[in-house]
């Protein structure tokens, strides 16, 4: 399969390499604010205590209760957001779930209250779900903490059937299934699914603040070139195994004219390291008579804390402090003229994503 993409390289007009490093990239966070609290006012420490408690309860309760494990398996199998997870609120609605998790003679109210207080709270099996037989195997149960840089977390706390602490590698997936509790990245603060978006507005208005009049007029006089993506190679997904599949997003915007105003948050097959996206044609983002800025990120959900700019140019994207920046690049107008000599542009210190455009 890779040989096909190497052949495509020769046909592509341009390859741009994006990655982790932002130094010198021109990406600037504007109107930066302190991390927003949870929708219900809980701090990260309070959320983490709830996650830790639930993980331990699930580990102990599910050990000798195959019916409880089957309930979790059945809810996760529905993949309500496309990933192997289920909201705790969905599980709480199942008959006897809270009573089973709480244990004999213990109050089940705390579990229901946790689902109510934290609507995004989920139970997931991010690796090895298809090989998990809930009738015979009780997995460890871990939790993924809030308020941390998920790309730098080294270990996760998990619990075994006796409630003992087990330390797991946060960056290397375990060989056997593990249940992970945490916050869902594909829902809003109320637990409602976010819409996946792919929009291309060819006539969208782009701000021309601080642009010289002659530059605007020159852009208007040019031929409008089509801006197309042919292939994307996700080298590093920026998502630890415990958080499931990555949520890859991209914004493209004309700089100095109207034309390209593209937002894509639905990239099929771009979920994990070394995934490829190839539409069997092109994905058109509109036409432009000026340069175009591209920006890619891995969306970790949560509140919108700041707006992103590129060398002083607003991208019209609201970001969260927890989102992982993959990279950005401004491509010259001539890059999209098509039919000319192929150009190779390379940013040596970016290595997380390759994109072929013309």
């Amino acid at each position: 399969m890779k040989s096909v993409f190497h052949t495509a390289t020769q046909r592509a007009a341009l390859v741009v390499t994006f990655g982790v490093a932002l130094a010198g990239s021109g990406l600037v966070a504007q109107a930066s604010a302190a991390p927003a609290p949870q929708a219900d006012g809980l701090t990260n420490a309070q959320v983490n205590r709830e996650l830790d408690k639930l993980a331990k309860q699930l580990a102990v309760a599910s050990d000798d209760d195959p019916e409880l494990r089957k309930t979790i398996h059945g809810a996760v199998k529905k993949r309500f957001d496309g990933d192997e997870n289920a909201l705790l609120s969905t599980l709480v609605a199942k008959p006897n779930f809270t009573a089973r998790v709480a244990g004999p003679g213990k109050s089940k109210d705390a579990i229901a209250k946790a689902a109510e207080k934290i609507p995004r709270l989920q139970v997931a099996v991010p690796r090895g779900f298809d090989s998990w037989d809930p009738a015979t195997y009780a997995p460890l149960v871990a939790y993924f903490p809030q308020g941390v840089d998920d790309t730098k977390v080294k270990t996760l706390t998990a619990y075994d059937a006796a409630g003992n602490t087990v330390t797991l590698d946060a960056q290397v997936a375990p060989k056997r299934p593990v249940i992970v509790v945490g916050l869902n990245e594909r829902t809003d603060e109320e637990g409602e699914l976010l819409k996946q978006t792919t929009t291309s507005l060819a006539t969208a208005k782009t701000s021309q603040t601080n642009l010289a009049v002659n530059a605007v007029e020159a852009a208007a006089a040019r031929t409008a070139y089509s801006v197309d993506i042919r292939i994307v190679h996700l080298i590093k997904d920026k998502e630890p195994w415990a958080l499931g599949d990555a949520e890859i997003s991209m914004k493209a915007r004309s700089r100095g004219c109207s034309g390209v105003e593209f937002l894509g948050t639905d990239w099929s097959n771009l979920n994990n390291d070394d995934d490829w996206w190839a539409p069997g044609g092109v994905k058109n983002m509109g036409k432009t008579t000026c340069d175009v800025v591209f920006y890619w990120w891995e969306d970790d959900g949560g509140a919108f804390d700041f707006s992103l700019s590129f060398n002083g140019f607003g991208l019209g994207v609201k970001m969260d402090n927890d989102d992982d920046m993959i990279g950005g690049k401004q491509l010259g107008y001539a890059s999209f003229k098509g039919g000319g000599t192929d150009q190779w542009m390379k940013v040596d210190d970016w290595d997380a994503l390759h994109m072929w455009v013309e």
Side-chain angles (χ1 to χ4, degrees), residues 71-92:
T71 297
I72 295 172
H73 185 277
V76 170
K77 188 176 181 178
K78 292 180 179 179
R79 294 177 171 86
F80 85 104
D81 66 353
D83 219 343
E84 288 81 7
N85 55 53
L87 293 177
L88 181 62
S89 58
T90 299
L91 288 163
V92 164

Side-chain angles (χ1 to χ4, degrees), residues 52-68:
D52 181 88
K53 181 179 179 181
L54 179 61
K56 189 171 184 178
Q57 286 180 304
L58 282 175
V60 174
S62 65
D63 176 56
D64 59 355
D65 191 343
E67 292 305 313
L68 175 59

Side-chain angles (χ1 to χ4, degrees), residues 215-230:
V216 175
E217 292 177 346
R222 293 172 177 168
T223 300
Y225 292 147
S226 181
V227 180
D228 302 313
I229 297 181
R230 283 195 171 274

Side-chain angles (χ1 to χ4, degrees), residues 308-358:
L308 200 79
S309 69
F310 183 91
N311 288 337
F313 175 63
L315 293 175
V317 175
K318 293 290 187 179
M319 303 293 293
D320 179 67
N321 288 328
D322 293 334
D323 294 341
D324 299 311
M325 299 179 181
I326 293 176
K329 183 71 176 179
Q330 181 170 324
L331 303 184
Y333 160 74
S335 303
F336 310 104
K337 61 184 178 181
T341 303
D342 286 356
Q343 292 177 292
W344 176 270
M345 294 182 64
K346 186 176 182 181
V347 183
D348 290 329
D349 52 0
W350 288 352
D351 62 356
L353 183 145
H354 290 180
M355 178 181 69
W356 284 261
V357 303
E358 65 179 12

Side-chain angles (χ1 to χ4, degrees), residues 198-209:
T198 299
T199 59
S200 181
L201 306 177
T203 60
K205 293 181 179 180
T206 302
S207 173
Q208 297 177 344
T209 304

